[in-house]
Coordinates of all heavy atoms in Angstrom, one line a residue:
R24 N 77.3 100.5 102.3 CA 77.2 100.7 100.9 C 75.7 100.7 100.4 O 75.5 101.0 99.2 CB 77.9 99.5 100.1 CG 79.4 99.5 100.4 CD 80.0 98.2 99.8 NE 81.4 98.1 100.2 CZ 82.4 98.6 99.5 NH1 82.2 99.2 98.3 NH2 83.7 98.4 99.8
N25 N 74.8 100.4 101.3 CA 73.4 100.3 100.9 C 73.1 99.4 99.7 O 72.4 99.8 98.8 CB 72.8 101.7 100.7 CG 71.3 101.7 100.7 OD1 70.7 100.8 101.3 ND2 70.7 102.7 100.0
T26 N 73.7 98.3 99.8 CA 73.6 97.3 98.7 C 73.7 95.9 99.2 O 74.2 95.7 100.4 CB 74.6 97.6 97.5 OG1 74.3 96.7 96.4 CG2 76.0 97.3 98.0
A27 N 73.4 94.9 98.5 CA 73.5 93.5 98.9 C 75.0 93.1 99.0 O 75.7 93.2 98.0 CB 72.7 92.6 98.0
V28 N 75.4 92.5 100.1 CA 76.8 92.0 100.3 C 76.7 90.6 100.8 O 75.9 90.2 101.6 CB 77.6 92.9 101.3 CG1 78.9 92.3 101.6 CG2 77.7 94.3 100.8
R29 N 77.5 89.7 100.2 CA 77.5 88.3 100.4 C 78.7 87.8 101.1 O 79.8 88.3 100.9 CB 77.4 87.6 99.0 CG 77.9 86.2 98.9 CD 77.9 85.8 97.5 NE 76.7 85.9 96.8 CZ 75.8 84.9 96.7 NH1 76.0 83.7 97.2 NH2 74.6 85.1 96.1
L30 N 78.5 86.8 102.0 CA 79.6 86.1 102.6 C 79.5 84.7 102.0 O 78.5 84.0 102.2 CB 79.5 86.0 104.1 CG 80.7 85.1 104.7 CD1 81.3 85.8 105.9 CD2 80.2 83.7 105.1
E31 N 80.5 84.3 101.3 CA 80.6 83.0 100.7 C 81.6 82.1 101.5 O 82.7 82.4 101.6 CB 81.0 83.1 99.2 CG 81.0 81.8 98.4 CD 79.6 81.5 98.0 OE1 78.8 82.3 97.6 OE2 79.3 80.2 98.0
L32 N 81.1 81.0 102.0 CA 81.9 80.0 102.8 C 82.4 78.9 101.9 O 81.6 78.3 101.2 CB 81.0 79.5 103.9 CG 81.7 78.5 104.9 CD1 82.8 79.2 105.7 CD2 80.7 77.9 105.8
D33 N 83.7 78.6 101.9 CA 84.2 77.5 101.1 C 84.3 76.3 102.0 O 84.3 76.3 103.2 CB 85.6 77.9 100.5 CG 85.5 79.0 99.5 OD1 84.5 79.0 98.8 OD2 86.4 79.9 99.4
A34 N 84.6 75.2 101.3 CA 84.6 73.9 102.0 C 85.8 73.8 103.0 O 85.8 73.1 104.0 CB 84.7 72.7 101.0
D35 N 86.9 74.6 102.8 CA 88.0 74.5 103.6 C 88.0 75.5 104.8 O 89.0 75.9 105.4 CB 89.3 74.7 102.8 CG 89.3 76.0 102.1 OD1 88.3 76.8 102.2 OD2 90.3 76.3 101.3
A36 N 86.8 76.1 105.1 CA 86.5 77.0 106.2 C 87.0 78.4 105.8 O 87.0 79.3 106.7 CB 87.1 76.5 107.5
S37 N 87.5 78.7 104.6 CA 87.8 80.0 104.2 C 86.6 80.7 103.8 O 85.6 80.1 103.5 CB 88.9 80.0 103.1 OG 88.3 79.4 101.9
W38 N 86.6 82.0 103.8 CA 85.4 82.8 103.3 C 85.8 84.0 102.6 O 86.9 84.5 102.7 CB 84.5 83.1 104.5 CG 85.1 83.8 105.7 CD1 85.4 83.2 106.9 CD2 85.5 85.2 105.8 NE1 86.0 84.1 107.7 CE2 86.0 85.3 107.1 CE3 85.4 86.3 105.0 CZ2 86.5 86.6 107.6 CZ3 85.9 87.5 105.4 CH2 86.4 87.6 106.7
T39 N 84.8 84.5 101.8 CA 85.0 85.8 101.0 C 83.8 86.7 101.2 O 82.7 86.2 101.1 CB 85.2 85.5 99.5 OG1 86.3 84.6 99.4 CG2 85.5 86.8 98.8
V40 N 84.0 87.9 101.6 CA 82.9 88.9 101.6 C 83.0 89.8 100.4 O 84.1 90.4 100.2 CB 83.0 89.7 103.0 CG1 82.0 90.9 102.9 CG2 82.8 88.9 104.2
G41 N 81.9 89.9 99.7 CA 81.9 90.8 98.5 C 80.5 91.2 98.1 O 79.6 90.6 98.6
C42 N 80.4 92.1 97.2 CA 79.1 92.6 96.8 C 78.4 91.5 96.0 O 79.1 90.8 95.2 CB 79.3 93.8 95.9 SG 79.9 95.2 96.9
D43 N 77.2 91.4 96.2 CA 76.4 90.3 95.5 C 76.3 90.6 94.0 O 76.4 89.7 93.2 CB 75.0 90.3 96.1 CG 74.2 89.0 95.7 OD1 74.9 87.9 95.7 OD2 73.0 89.0 95.5
V44 N 76.2 91.9 93.7 CA 76.3 92.3 92.3 C 77.4 93.3 92.2 O 77.2 94.5 92.5 CB 75.0 92.9 91.8 CG1 75.1 93.4 90.4 CG2 73.8 92.0 92.0
P45 N 78.6 92.9 91.8 CA 79.8 93.8 91.8 C 79.6 95.0 90.8 O 79.0 94.8 89.8 CB 80.9 92.9 91.3 CG 80.5 91.5 91.6 CD 79.0 91.5 91.4
L46 N 80.1 96.2 91.2 CA 80.0 97.4 90.4 C 81.4 97.8 90.1 O 82.2 98.0 91.1 CB 79.2 98.5 91.1 CG 77.7 98.3 91.4 CD1 77.2 99.4 92.2 CD2 77.0 98.1 90.1
V47 N 81.7 98.0 88.9 CA 83.0 98.5 88.5 C 83.1 100.0 88.8 O 82.1 100.6 89.3 CB 83.3 98.3 87.0 CG1 83.3 96.8 86.7 CG2 82.2 99.0 86.1
D48 N 84.3 100.6 88.6 CA 84.5 102.0 88.9 C 83.6 102.9 88.0 O 83.8 103.0 86.8 CB 86.0 102.3 88.6 CG 86.3 103.7 89.0 OD1 85.5 104.4 89.7 OD2 87.4 104.2 88.5
Q49 N 82.6 103.5 88.7 CA 81.7 104.4 88.0 C 82.0 105.9 88.3 O 81.5 106.8 87.6 CB 80.2 104.1 88.3 CG 79.9 102.7 87.9 CD 78.4 102.3 88.3 OE1 77.9 102.9 89.2 NE2 77.9 101.3 87.6
D50 N 82.7 106.2 89.4 CA 83.0 107.6 89.7 C 84.3 108.0 89.3 O 84.7 109.1 89.6 CB 82.7 107.8 91.2 CG 83.6 106.8 92.1 OD1 84.4 106.1 91.5 OD2 83.3 106.8 93.3
G51 N 85.1 107.1 88.6 CA 86.4 107.5 88.1 C 87.5 107.7 89.1 O 88.5 108.3 88.8
D52 N 87.4 107.1 90.3 CA 88.5 107.2 91.3 C 89.5 106.1 91.2 O 90.4 106.0 91.9 CB 87.9 107.3 92.7 CG 87.2 106.0 93.1 OD1 87.0 105.1 92.3 OD2 86.8 105.9 94.3
G53 N 89.3 105.1 90.2 CA 90.3 104.1 90.0 C 90.0 102.8 90.8 O 90.8 101.8 90.7
A54 N 89.0 102.8 91.6 CA 88.6 101.6 92.5 C 87.2 101.2 92.2 O 86.3 102.1 91.9 CB 88.8 101.9 93.9
D55 N 87.0 99.9 92.2 CA 85.6 99.4 92.0 C 84.7 100.0 93.0 O 85.0 100.0 94.2 CB 85.6 97.9 92.0 CG 86.2 97.3 90.7 OD1 86.4 98.0 89.8 OD2 86.5 96.1 90.7
D56 N 83.5 100.4 92.7 CA 82.6 101.0 93.6 C 82.0 99.9 94.6 O 81.7 100.2 95.7 CB 81.4 101.7 92.9 CG 81.9 102.9 92.2 OD1 82.9 103.5 92.6 OD2 81.3 103.3 91.2
C57 N 81.9 98.7 94.1 CA 81.4 97.6 94.9 C 82.1 96.3 94.4 O 81.6 95.6 93.5 CB 79.9 97.5 94.9 SG 79.3 96.6 96.3
P58 N 83.3 96.0 95.0 CA 84.1 94.8 94.4 C 83.5 93.5 94.8 O 82.7 93.3 95.8 CB 85.4 95.0 95.1 CG 85.2 95.8 96.3 CD 84.0 96.7 96.1
A59 N 83.8 92.5 94.0 CA 83.3 91.1 94.2 C 84.0 90.5 95.5 O 83.5 89.6 96.1 CB 83.6 90.2 93.0
A60 N 85.2 91.0 95.9 CA 85.9 90.6 97.1 C 86.3 91.8 97.9 O 87.3 92.4 97.5 CB 87.1 89.7 96.7
I61 N 85.6 92.1 98.9 CA 85.9 93.2 99.8 C 87.0 92.7 100.8 O 88.0 93.4 101.0 CB 84.7 93.7 100.6 CG1 83.6 94.3 99.6 CG2 85.1 94.7 101.6 CD1 82.3 94.5 100.2
Q62 N 86.8 91.5 101.3 CA 87.8 90.9 102.2 C 87.6 89.4 102.1 O 86.5 88.9 102.0 CB 87.6 91.4 103.6 CG 88.7 91.0 104.6 CD 88.5 91.6 106.0 OE1 87.9 92.6 106.2 NE2 89.1 90.9 107.0
A63 N 88.8 88.7 102.3 CA 88.7 87.3 102.3 C 89.6 86.7 103.4 O 90.6 87.4 103.8 CB 89.2 86.8 100.9
R64 N 89.2 85.6 103.9 CA 90.1 84.9 104.9 C 90.5 83.6 104.3 O 89.7 82.7 104.0 CB 89.3 84.6 106.2 CG 90.2 83.9 107.2 CD 89.3 83.2 108.3 NE 90.1 82.7 109.3 CZ 90.5 81.5 109.4 NH1 90.2 80.6 108.5 NH2 91.2 81.1 110.5

């Protein structure tokens, strides 16, 4: 994505990967361009 992406670790060993600065849908395709949560465990 050529942008800052963060892995946030929680106390219960779960984690979330998401954009450090989330971007909403700017190209009109109905999906956030850089979501706050790309994947979570």
Side-chain angles (χ1 to χ4, degrees):
R24 297 171 185 270
N25 195 25
T26 190
V28 174
R29 155 190 303 266
L30 179 132
E31 187 77 39
L32 180 68
D33 293 325
D35 59 2
S37 63
W38 52 258
T39 303
V40 170
C42 294
D43 197 36
V44 179
L46 294 175
V47 295
D48 182 18
Q49 296 177 339
D50 54 9
D52 65 353
D55 288 348
D56 291 335
C57 200
I61 296 169
Q62 186 174 339
R64 180 196 189 267

